Amino acid sequence: MKPTLFVLAAGMGSRYGGLKQLDGLGPNGETIMDYSVFDAMRAGFGKIVFVIRKSFEDDFRSKILSKYENHIPVELVFQDIMDLPAGFKCPEERTKPWGTNHAVLMGKSVIKEPFAVINADDFYGRDSFAVLGKFLSEIKEGSKNDYCMVGFRVGNTLSESGTVARGICSTDDNRLLQTVVERTEIMRVDGPVCYKDEEGKWVAVDDNTPVSMNMWGFTPDYFDYSTEYFIEFLKENIEKPKAEYYIPLMVNKLITEGTATVKVLDTTSKWFGVTYAADRQGVVDKIQQLIDAGEYPNKLF
């Protein structure tokens, strides 16, 4: 069974200043998502599922989904802050979405095969999809609890326009994930890559330190664990207006309990994205460089 690519596209880019998921950055108006879909198709993925907000469904269908007709099956699911388990009601003052793992839960009804999760606004690169597609396509039918994460080398994931947030990973000798610690400010400081710790001090890390770019591989049992744990999360956090149910929160729980393992897959791909509006031209230039090098055709679809 071919794996599915699940694209998280429900967020509004607050720092970027608009719906960056719909911004045309390629020479023929291609979005970053278009490149992810193209890379996924040549890596052996068989279906694409997007999670978006209902409010921009029409725009999304006309600008994005229409491109993929006759290329690969596509489905849409919707994230809504009101979509909570029985017995819970969203507080009236809540405006923030419930986080990435809540978005993942929206795919439960349409994904029955091994699947990858990615962000819509990150350019992950060809090699990362190749290693992820290989892992997922080799999973035996009915397999559970053996997941993966593409571990980008932190030095390949920085922005020239400011700090970035990354999940810094630690692994054991078998490259199984041990922890993911979210660091909200990472940049080069006088040469080395550094993150700002809880005391406001810059801490240097090696350029090849693996970081999570929200590029995961799961089997459908992950939905069941996520459903159960979301109830526990809400019991503790429903009155906290900024609390979010993140994928690393769920993954850390499964690893700590010994329920699941997560293989960290190394990739040579260099991440880039539009974290800030000032990043846009740099992304356009990098895409053109990849086209000139033969990595992508001038027109994808």
Side-chain angles (χ1 to χ4, degrees):
M1 188 177 293
K2 290 185 176 181
T4 286
L5 180 67
F6 192 15
V7 184
L8 307 184
M12 173 80 80
S14 57
R15 284 179 294 183
Y16 186 66
L19 281 178
K20 56 187 174 181
Q21 295 93 336
L22 304 183
D23 193 6
L25 301 167
N28 291 283
E30 290 88 354
T31 67
I32 284 179
M33 288 185 292
D34 291 335
Y35 287 95
S36 291
V37 171
F38 185 83
D39 282 333
M41 287 171 58
R42 61 181 174 181
F45 287 78
K47 182 175 73 175
I48 312 294
V49 177
F50 292 95
V51 56
I52 66 170
R53 282 182 292 168
K54 189 73 174 176
S55 60
F56 59 88
E57 178 185 3
D58 291 344
D59 213 15
F60 198 88
R61 286 188 183 278
S62 64
K63 292 185 177 180
I64 302 296
L65 299 197
S66 59
K67 299 179 185 180
Y68 309 138
E69 289 179 2
N70 304 318
H71 290 287
I72 191 169
V74 179
E75 295 196 51
L76 275 184
V77 294
F78 305 100
Q79 184 181 22
D80 191 311
I81 61 171
M82 301 297 179
D83 195 339
L84 299 178
F88 293 95
K89 183 179 179 181
C90 183
E92 291 184 7
E93 66 273 15
R94 177 89 187 192
T95 58
K96 196 173 185 65
W98 290 104
T100 51
N101 214 48
H102 179 252
V104 169
L105 275 174
M106 301 303 104
K108 185 175 183 178
S109 62
V110 299
I111 299 175
K112 308 299 179 184
E113 56 283 318
F115 65 100
V117 176
I118 67 166
N119 293 334
D121 49 10
D122 288 316
F123 194 106
Y124 291 103
R126 180 176 186 171
D127 181 71
S128 63
F129 282 96
V131 298
L132 183 53
K134 183 176 187 295
F135 182 95
L136 293 174
S137 64
E138 292 175 353
I139 290 176
K140 294 179 180 178
E141 190 171 348
S143 178
K144 296 181 178 182
N145 305 327
D146 293 320
Y147 309 144
C148 69
M149 185 204 81
V150 178
F152 281 74
R153 301 168 187 178
V154 67
N156 285 341
T157 73
L158 305 179
S159 169
E160 296 173 2
S161 303
T163 61
V164 295
R166 300 286 179 257
I168 293 185
C169 305
S170 62
T171 62
D172 66 12
D173 292 340
N174 296 314
R175 287 196 67 85
L176 294 179
L177 185 65
Q178 299 298 289
T179 60
V180 180
V181 179
E182 190 72 15
R183 298 295 182 183
T184 57
E185 293 184 74
I186 301 176
M187 64 185 299
R188 289 196 185 276
V189 179
D190 298 326
V193 178
C194 299
Y195 67 83
K196 189 173 285 188
D197 66 11
E198 292 80 0
E199 297 177 355
K201 297 178 181 178
W202 289 106
V203 179
V205 295
D206 188 87
D207 267 42
N208 292 326
T209 301
V211 295
S212 168
M213 297 301 300
N214 227 28
M215 194 176 199
W216 303 89
F218 299 116
T219 43
D221 51 293
Y222 183 79
F223 290 123
D224 298 327
Y225 298 127
S226 297
T227 300
E228 293 172 8
Y229 190 40
F230 191 37
I231 293 171
E232 299 304 313
F233 172 88
L234 289 173
K235 288 178 180 177
E236 295 182 12
N237 297 285
I238 195 163
E239 298 299 333
K240 300 174 183 177
K242 293 187 177 181
E244 292 190 59
Y245 185 37
Y246 291 116
I247 294 171
L249 187 68
M250 180 76 255
V251 170
N252 271 336
K253 174 180 168 62
L254 294 173
I255 291 173
T256 302
E257 293 177 346
T259 301
T261 59
V262 178
K263 185 81 169 181
V264 177
L265 310 176
D266 182 42
T267 181
T268 57
S269 285
K270 292 185 178 181
W271 170 93
F272 53 87
V274 282
T275 306
Y276 302 90
D279 293 330
R280 187 184 187 281
Q281 188 57 48
V283 170
V284 171
D285 294 341
K286 288 172 184 174
I287 289 174
Q288 188 60 53
Q289 289 167 10
L290 290 170
I291 293 169
D292 293 341
E295 279 282 309
Y296 299 95
N298 193 60
K299 186 174 177 61
L300 294 183
F301 299 102

